[in-house]
Amino acid sequence: MFIAMVEVLSVRWWGCFNHTGLKVTFADGSTLVYANVPGRGVIRQSLAEFAMGRSMVTAHGISGHSAFQVIARAERALGTPYRLFNWNCEHFVSWALGREPNSPQLHAAGGALLATLILAQLTAS
């Protein structure tokens, strides 16, 4: 089946976190999503399963030869367990895109926690 496009998608969870995945659209219009899900690891799922009734945002799309490379990486990762601190949904997507596994949300949350702890210590003194 011919692949028309791969897109990076995200949905909002709990009002403050984005869950990220890779949507594959085939030439016939059918779709599937590769996602790294807590308790399930890297899986293929339907668009409806990924969105779980939430609205989705498309970060950017990839087509042509690069799309095949992204899908090949995603396929190799199938079954890899989810690990919040070093293999969450963002780590998986950045790795599948050929980048260093990275989670900007995790870095931001860690920075916010550190700032809160410092502020609490300063105000307690």
Side-chain angles (χ1 to χ4, degrees), residues 3-97:
I3 298 164
M5 166 113 19
V6 175
E7 298 170 287
V8 177
L9 294 179
S10 65
V11 294
R12 200 80 161 154
W13 281 12
W14 303 297
C16 57
F17 296 105
N18 288 320
H19 177 50
T20 306
L22 296 168
K23 175 186 167 192
V24 180
T25 303
F26 297 96
D28 67 0
S30 63
T31 61
L32 69 83
V33 177
Y34 291 95
N36 193 4
V37 180
R40 298 178 70 190
V42 178
I43 59 170
R44 282 186 222 104
Q45 61 186 169
S46 71
L47 197 54
E49 275 184 293
F50 177 78
M52 295 181 359
R54 296 171 174 95
S55 59
M56 293 176 285
V57 175
T58 301
H60 63 284
I62 303 132
S63 59
H65 181 69
S66 296
F68 288 103
Q69 292 173 330
V70 170
I71 292 167
R73 287 187 199 100
E75 283 288 318
R76 283 197 308 270
L78 287 172
T80 304
Y82 178 96
R83 292 185 304 274
L84 176 63
F85 297 109
N86 63 356
W87 190 250
N88 65 34
C89 60
E90 289 184 308
H91 290 106
F92 161 66
V93 168
S94 63
W95 176 83
L97 293 173

